[in-house]
Amino acid sequence: LSIPTFFLALSGSKKPDSNDASANTTAVGTSQSTKNTFTVNDFESTWMNSDMPSRHPRFHSTVSRHDDRFFEETHHVKAATTENNGNDKDETNLQIKAELDRHASETMHFSVYREDLRNRIENMLTSPIEVAEKLWEVKISSGAIGSSGAISKVKSEAITTRQQVSNEIRALKRQPTKGRLWKDAVGDTKPMESVLLFRSHHALADGASIM
């Protein structure tokens, strides 16, 4: 098997989406767990905003079921035409987002420091990928910062301390809002981490066919 595998560890607060009308309004009692974690929806939005399908169509290709010497593009991304007011592009984007569900998934976070992370990496390195269905995948999990070992204990403690200082400074500037929680109540949450565990089949970077 030749299945490159790597992970990204993220920690911090997400910037509000100016296009999202609900970004600045939160109902009392609503969970804030996703505000400081990276989700599948975040991955899909980042993927589409970076125009990955048209820049790197190989990520939306599979090995042909009929002849494994060739690739098949799942989506033929093309510019929207003026005649249909961009409906082609909108429809293609919806199809791509639906197809990304086969590549990106959320899973339980790691419970044993670095041991679970190592076991999952070993499993992804040794288990086969059905190349007729996809050439890559990413598994996303979130939990308390430092719990997985993807971010070292030293860095986790530094991030936590920085967050505590930020919370204390924000608390001094608190301004109550009529009939609602303090504006900065969400800032009191503890730092979280998200781990994105990627793997791909070596055919993804087949230089000869890319040329």
Side-chain angles (χ1 to χ4, degrees):
L1 293 174
S2 180
I3 304 179
T5 302
F6 66 95
F7 68 86
L8 296 177
L10 309 176
S11 181
S13 299
K14 293 186 290 190
K15 294 182 179 179
D17 186 353
S18 58
N19 297 321
D20 185 356
S22 64
N24 296 317
T25 59
T26 303
V28 175
T30 300
S31 172
Q32 297 294 328
S33 60
T34 60
K35 189 173 183 64
N36 297 323
T37 59
F38 195 82
T39 65
V40 168
N41 286 337
D42 295 322
F43 179 85
E44 293 178 351
S45 296
T46 302
W47 189 270
M48 299 302 293
N49 291 338
S50 300
D51 199 23
M52 287 293 289
S54 58
R55 291 172 59 192
H56 303 287
R58 175 58 57 81
F59 283 90
H60 291 276
S61 300
T62 58
V63 172
S64 173
R65 293 181 183 274
H66 308 292
D67 189 337
D68 61 11
R69 295 176 300 171
F70 300 96
F71 291 90
E72 295 179 353
E73 281 191 22
T74 308
H75 302 286
H76 299 279
V77 181
K78 59 183 179 181
T81 60
T82 56
E83 290 81 1
N84 59 16
N85 296 320
N87 289 334
D88 279 353
K89 184 175 182 180
D90 291 340
E91 183 177 351
T92 298
N93 285 346
L94 289 175
Q95 292 174 350
I96 292 173
K97 285 187 175 181
E99 193 247 343
L100 279 174
D101 287 341
R102 292 191 299 152
H103 297 276
S105 61
E106 293 188 43
T107 184
M108 294 290 292
H109 200 53
F110 311 88
S111 58
V112 181
Y113 184 78
R114 288 194 171 166
E115 187 69 21
D116 284 351
L117 177 60
R118 185 183 68 180
N119 290 338
R120 289 192 195 182
I121 291 175
E122 290 177 350
N123 180 66
M124 295 185 82
L125 282 168
T126 56
S127 58
I129 294 179
E130 180 50 67
V131 294
E133 296 180 357
K134 58 186 175 183
L135 296 179
W136 63 276
E137 66 178 344
V138 55
K139 296 184 181 297
I140 304 172
S141 66
S142 299
I145 189 169
S147 56
S148 68
I151 300 177
S152 70
K153 291 182 178 179
V154 173
K155 289 185 178 180
S156 297
E157 291 174 356
I159 293 172
T160 300
T161 300
R162 186 165 61 245
Q163 180 67 55
Q164 290 173 343
V165 172
S166 177
N167 288 343
E168 291 172 359
I169 294 175
R170 191 179 295 111
L172 295 175
K173 300 178 180 180
R174 278 184 171 177
Q175 295 180 1
T177 56
K178 186 176 180 180
R180 296 171 59 189
L181 296 174
W182 296 95
K183 285 184 177 180
D184 67 326
V186 177
D188 294 334
T189 56
K190 295 181 179 180
M192 301 286 286
E193 68 176 17
S194 294
V195 178
L196 286 69
L197 189 53
F198 292 85
R199 73 168 181 161
S200 66
H201 192 272
H202 67 88
L204 184 68
D206 180 1
S209 61
I210 290 177
M211 294 291 289

